[in-house]
Amino acid sequence: MFRREFVVYLGGKEIRARYLGTAHTDGDAFIFFPMERAVAVGDTMKDFDGPFIDYPAGGSIVEYIKTIDGLLSLEGGRKIENLDPFDVVIPGHGAVSDRAGLLEHRNKLIVLRDRVTRLKHAGKTYGEIAGVMSAEYGWKPEDRNLGQWTFPGLMKELN
């Protein structure tokens, strides 16, 4: 276990495991391969049917966006010292991507966050908003997105 960064050398190549902040969980590690200008982002990026945020493990959509913003060095993101430059993004699920793909994923997170927030402000009920998530993302009551982790957490976190 490590707090911020752990460096190993395999086959003469440096590999850095870094904690950048809460995202999918509060313990996500990002694995940098500096020589290859690549980063493995694990479950913080996947094919998009909505994010998978593990709220019981400390995940947060608000912090998730800040962490991705920091990784992409966007204004308002977490300050990440000595951030390794990268062009290749290796998601936890789906095809290898790039910075533009990670930015697109981040933008989808913002759309989801803002959609749930607007529906709550409009006075929609938990069930009505769940119906929207089901229609727009294909979430089902028995899955982890709608039924167990992501949606119940979004409803508690977002105001």
Side-chain angles (χ1 to χ4, degrees):
M1 178 137 176
F2 62 95
R3 293 237 184 249
R4 286 277 175 226
E5 182 173 71
F6 182 78
V7 178
V8 296
Y9 293 87
L10 296 174
K13 293 189 178 188
E14 182 179 21
I15 300 169
R16 297 180 187 165
R18 297 183 72 187
Y19 174 75
L20 305 178
T22 297
H24 162 69
T25 72
D26 66 357
D28 295 303
F30 293 79
I31 312 302
F32 289 87
F33 303 89
M35 297 282 293
E36 288 76 18
R37 295 183 54 93
V39 61
V41 298
D43 283 344
T44 60
M45 186 175 175
K46 68 179 195 69
D47 293 337
F48 208 88
D49 57 353
F52 170 43
I53 303 171
D54 191 344
Y55 277 93
S60 159
I61 195 166
V62 172
E63 296 303 314
Y64 193 156
I65 293 165
K66 288 178 189 175
T67 297
I68 298 299
D69 284 354
L71 185 59
L72 290 168
S73 300
L74 298 176
E75 187 174 329
R78 266 198 181 82
K79 172 117 175 69
I80 301 172
E81 294 181 28
N82 303 316
L83 181 64
D84 291 300
F86 63 91
D87 303 309
V88 177
V89 178
I90 306 163
H93 305 272
V96 171
S97 191
D98 55 17
R99 293 179 72 86
L102 185 58
L103 177 62
E104 180 182 341
H105 182 76
R106 172 252 188 207
N107 291 341
K108 289 176 181 178
L109 292 169
I110 290 172
V111 167
L112 175 64
R113 178 201 64 197
D114 293 350
R115 181 83 165 116
V116 170
T117 301
R118 277 194 309 277
L119 290 167
K120 286 184 82 173
H121 288 182
K124 300 297 182 189
T125 68
Y126 188 98
E128 289 170 328
I129 299 172
V132 170
M133 297 297 102
S134 182
E136 291 184 7
Y137 296 105
W139 292 356
K140 298 174 182 70
E142 65 275 8
D143 71 20
R144 62 186 177 196
N145 279 329
L146 188 59
Q148 298 169 336
W149 297 341
T150 303
F151 182 68
L154 288 172
M155 291 300 289
K156 287 179 188 171
E157 180 179 19
L158 299 175
N159 295 312

